Amino acid sequence: MTIALRETKPGRVLVTGAAGFIGRWAVAALRELGFDVHAVGRPMRPGVENWHQADLLDAKARSALIRTVKPDHLLHTAWFTGHKRFWTAPQNVDWLVASLDLLAEFAAVDGRRAVLVGSCAEYDWAGSDTEPWREDRPCHPATLYGQAKHDVAQQAASLAASRGISFAWGRVFTPIGLYEEPERLVPSVIRALLAGQRATTGPGDLVRDFLDVRDAGYAFARLVAGDVSGAVNIGSGQGLSIGDIARQIGALTGRPELLGIGARPPRAGDPPFMVADVKRLRDEVGFQPRFTLDETLNDAIDFWQAQPG
């Protein structure tokens, strides 16, 4: 049964990481939903009103930002995201501390609703699942990144409950699309094929949940606007193998003969299947994807074709 979304009245929302991969699209979606959006991120994006500069790893800067904006909603997307390095980076601990303090500062100005960004890396990766992962799946993170995110989720939920803040935690699976880091799977394959070079991937049979990043931003905006609490998976709910998405890019670019699927060695501990159960996202948050995979990949190809060099 579909549950009607109960939306809060759009108010003033602070979005951290607003220049980031997900944050930039969440800003646009929140404005679309009628929120007064205040953004913080580096670099500053031209043409965006109410943009603030602040080092969120600095306690005084965090406090000053919150007390200047006085948001009644908070969407915290900022984190260290250096490609591959983020799994073990010591910055994960810095962001754990900063995230909890940011929420405490938000509570101090009587903030009403907070949504923070989590990850599928929080879940237990062991086993050979073939069913989508629900939010009640055990969490046994295999990486420092996943552990830091999960620690924030637990402590932030307790803090929010003690201060009367409506709180949700969006666990992101595999967003893809515009402005993605060039070394990640989809852009690395696209860029190589467009350049007429061999495009290699890891094991082609690994199944992942790919969602257009514009849809991920919209999903978070819907989560901010509603009153759903606790963990909510952010994904498409559809599994696709790495080999299949590479072959789809090969077909769209007309260079399938340059694919080297499985040429890279597997990463230790990589789960064979990682797909979101999106029942909560669909039925409680009221989210439906707005882009097909073909649209996402074609737009990404156009994006990389337009880049200099």
Side-chain angles (χ1 to χ4, degrees):
M1 180 179 69
T2 299
I3 299 174
L5 173 69
R6 297 183 297 275
E7 293 189 351
T8 60
K9 182 180 179 181
R12 180 175 297 175
V13 58
L14 175 64
V15 181
T16 72
F21 187 41
I22 292 175
R24 67 173 60 235
W25 303 111
V27 165
L30 285 162
R31 294 177 68 181
E32 181 182 322
L33 292 175
F35 281 88
D36 173 19
V37 179
H38 286 249
V40 58
R42 291 181 292 187
M44 179 182 290
R45 287 174 55 201
V48 178
E49 297 178 4
N50 301 321
W51 195 279
H52 303 265
Q53 302 248 19
D55 179 0
L56 294 179
L57 294 180
D58 181 89
K60 290 182 178 179
R62 287 192 299 270
S63 179
L65 174 67
I66 291 290
R67 293 173 189 279
T68 296
V69 177
K70 293 184 173 60
D72 42 41
H73 293 71
L74 171 66
L75 174 58
H76 178 43
T77 79
W79 199 272
F80 177 75
T81 58
H83 181 62
K84 291 188 178 179
R85 294 178 293 141
F86 73 92
W87 293 114
T88 57
Q91 290 94 324
N92 284 301
V93 178
D94 298 332
W95 278 105
L96 186 162
V97 173
S99 299
L100 293 173
D101 184 64
L102 184 73
L103 184 61
E105 292 286 354
F106 177 68
V109 296
D110 299 321
R112 293 189 286 119
R113 174 141 176 97
V115 175
L116 277 63
V117 176
S119 170
C120 59
E122 300 171 61
Y123 289 122
D124 187 349
W125 284 1
S128 55
D129 302 72
T130 57
E131 294 295 324
W133 296 3
R134 294 180 6 163
E135 287 86 354
D136 59 0
R137 180 183 179 87
C139 287
H140 296 298
T143 63
L144 176 59
Y145 169 74
Q147 188 62 60
K149 284 286 189 179
H150 190 51
D151 287 349
V152 172
Q154 293 180 303
Q155 295 181 55
S158 296
L159 173 59
S162 70
R163 303 297 292 270
I165 295 172
S166 174
F167 174 76
W169 180 257
R171 288 198 179 119
V172 177
F173 277 67
T174 312
I176 59 173
L178 308 183
Y179 297 99
E180 192 169 359
E181 288 198 27
E183 295 84 3
R184 283 168 53 106
L185 171 66
V186 169
S188 69
V189 171
I190 290 173
R191 291 170 64 241
L193 295 183
L194 290 177
Q197 300 170 354
R198 188 165 185 254
T200 60
T201 76
D205 58 351
L206 298 183
V207 176
R208 295 293 181 261
D209 184 318
F210 298 101
L211 178 68
D212 192 300
V213 69
R214 294 169 290 188
D215 278 331
Y218 179 62
F220 272 107
R222 295 287 294 180
L223 198 53
V224 169
D227 63 356
V228 174
S229 62
V232 178
N233 288 332
I234 307 295
S236 68
Q238 303 296 317
L240 186 70
S241 75
I242 286 175
D244 282 343
I245 198 168
R247 281 185 282 270
Q248 195 159 343
I249 296 169
L252 291 171
T253 57
R255 303 306 302 266
E257 74 281 0
L258 293 176
L259 292 172
I261 297 169
R264 298 182 193 172
R267 188 179 66 191
D270 242 358
F273 180 93
M274 192 157 54
V275 177
D277 181 309
V278 294
K279 188 177 190 321
R280 292 204 78 199
L281 182 65
R282 181 189 66 236
D283 294 349
E284 298 180 47
V285 179
F287 167 80
Q288 291 289 342
R290 302 193 285 187
F291 297 91
T292 67
L293 183 60
D294 264 1
E295 289 171 332
T296 300
L297 295 178
N298 273 312
D299 287 349
I301 291 167
D302 290 344
F303 174 83
W304 288 109
Q305 279 180 324
Q307 300 309 302

